Amino acid sequence: DAGVIQSPRHEVTEMGQEVTLRCKPISGHDYLFWYRQTMMRGLELLIYFNNNVPIDDSGMPEDRFSAKMPNASFSTLKIQPSEPRDSAVYFCASSLAGGRNQPQHFGDGTRLSIL
Amino acid sequence: DQQVKQNSPSLSVQEGRISILNCDYTNSMFDYFLWYKKYPAEGPTFLISISSIKDKNEDGRFTVFLNKSAKHLSLHIVPSQPGDSAVYFCAARPATSGTYKYIFGTGTRLKVLA
């Protein structure tokens, strides 16, 4: 089975540009999560969706960040305008419904560098 | 304010010995705890979990211990193998009804020396 697929794997762009990160969850998974990893704060949950509906976006740092899930097989995380402090590794994860103890399955991440 | 803390950024252990990774938490309302392992350039992978109603869970070489009174979680790997070299994250879930949110620590890098 294919795992969670994220693209691009690496993104380097200049400050002020729009950045779009993409995620395809595991087929059949009902929950999708976006995380950001930094050295100082570890893995932080930004937002998660259930059946394409945002459930908790309390981790989204600023209005410059937005996330959408137009269908069950695709989600985007957008940063506009980007800033150097947004540089981090962004992970997408998905999990099954059927109990809160289902583990989350992570993609390999997008390493974002804002110059 | 980190609710889940991994105070040791790194740990080195000889192959065959026990590795003990520690995690402390501040919120007594967490009801489920997990450990994830992460290799470079890959996403974290689920390793083992424990519910707050238990104090120990074992899966092969991996055992997680939970001490609720001390708000402390530990992962034991016995015996350690070079392939265990990775970053280990502990995570906790609030007991808030219906939430699927995990709160992760900053990770501990384990190096198993051959």
Side-chain angles (χ1 to χ4, degrees):
Chain A
D1 280 347
V4 175
I5 299 172
Q6 292 186 245
S7 64
R9 289 298 310 274
H10 303 273
E11 175 86 16
V12 181
T13 192
E14 292 189 345
M15 182 175 64
Q17 297 297 305
E18 178 179 291
V19 173
T20 300
L21 311 181
R22 296 173 175 78
C23 176
K24 176 179 168 54
I26 294 172
S27 177
H29 281 195
D30 302 277
Y31 286 83
L32 184 138
F33 306 82
W34 281 102
Y35 287 88
R36 178 171 67 176
Q37 183 191 7
T38 61
M39 291 293 292
M40 290 301 294
R41 301 182 65 84
L43 275 162
E44 298 176 278
L45 178 67
L46 301 177
I47 185 171
Y48 78 90
F49 296 82
N50 178 25
N51 291 324
N52 314 338
V53 176
I55 302 299
D56 184 341
D57 66 354
S58 59
M60 295 287 262
E62 299 170 38
D63 291 345
R64 297 184 297 106
F65 286 70
S66 63
K68 294 182 180 179
M69 192 165 186
N71 58 61
S73 58
F74 183 66
S75 176
T76 60
L77 177 68
K78 191 169 290 189
I79 309 172
Q80 166 63 21
S82 57
E83 297 182 3
R85 61 194 167 116
D86 302 330
S87 297
V89 182
Y90 291 80
F91 289 101
C92 176
S94 68
S95 71
L96 285 166
R100 294 166 60 221
N101 294 350
Q102 292 287 341
Q104 296 175 16
H105 300 263
F106 283 76
D108 287 339
T110 294
R111 182 173 293 277
L112 177 63
S113 297
I114 308 297
L115 307 176
Chain B
D1 58 334
Q2 285 283 115
Q3 296 186 61
V4 177
K5 300 178 185 180
Q6 294 178 258
N7 292 317
S8 297
S10 64
L11 174 69
S12 291
V13 171
Q14 284 294 132
E15 181 180 6
R17 300 289 190 112
I18 184 171
S19 294
I20 300 177
L21 296 105
N22 294 304
C23 180
D24 296 298
Y25 60 95
T26 58
N27 188 341
S28 59
M29 296 304 292
F30 290 141
D31 69 347
Y32 195 66
F33 302 87
L34 309 94
W35 285 93
Y36 277 78
K37 179 166 86 170
K38 183 184 179 304
Y39 292 119
E42 295 183 9
T45 55
F46 170 71
L47 193 56
I48 192 168
S49 61
I50 188 167
S51 165
S52 61
I53 63 173
K54 296 187 175 182
D55 53 20
K56 176 182 174 181
N57 188 27
E58 196 170 348
D59 183 1
R61 297 186 298 113
F62 302 91
T63 303
V64 56
F65 295 93
L66 177 61
N67 182 334
K68 288 186 289 293
S69 61
K71 296 191 181 71
H72 180 79
L73 187 70
S74 63
L75 174 68
H76 292 211
I77 306 173
V78 184
S80 301
Q81 299 173 353
D84 297 329
S85 297
V87 177
Y88 289 79
F89 291 95
C90 67
R93 187 187 65 203
T96 308
S97 176
T99 188
Y100 280 67
K101 182 174 185 170
Y102 293 170
I103 298 173
F104 281 83
T106 51
T108 296
R109 182 178 302 278
L110 173 66
K111 183 179 282 189
V112 179
L113 307 169

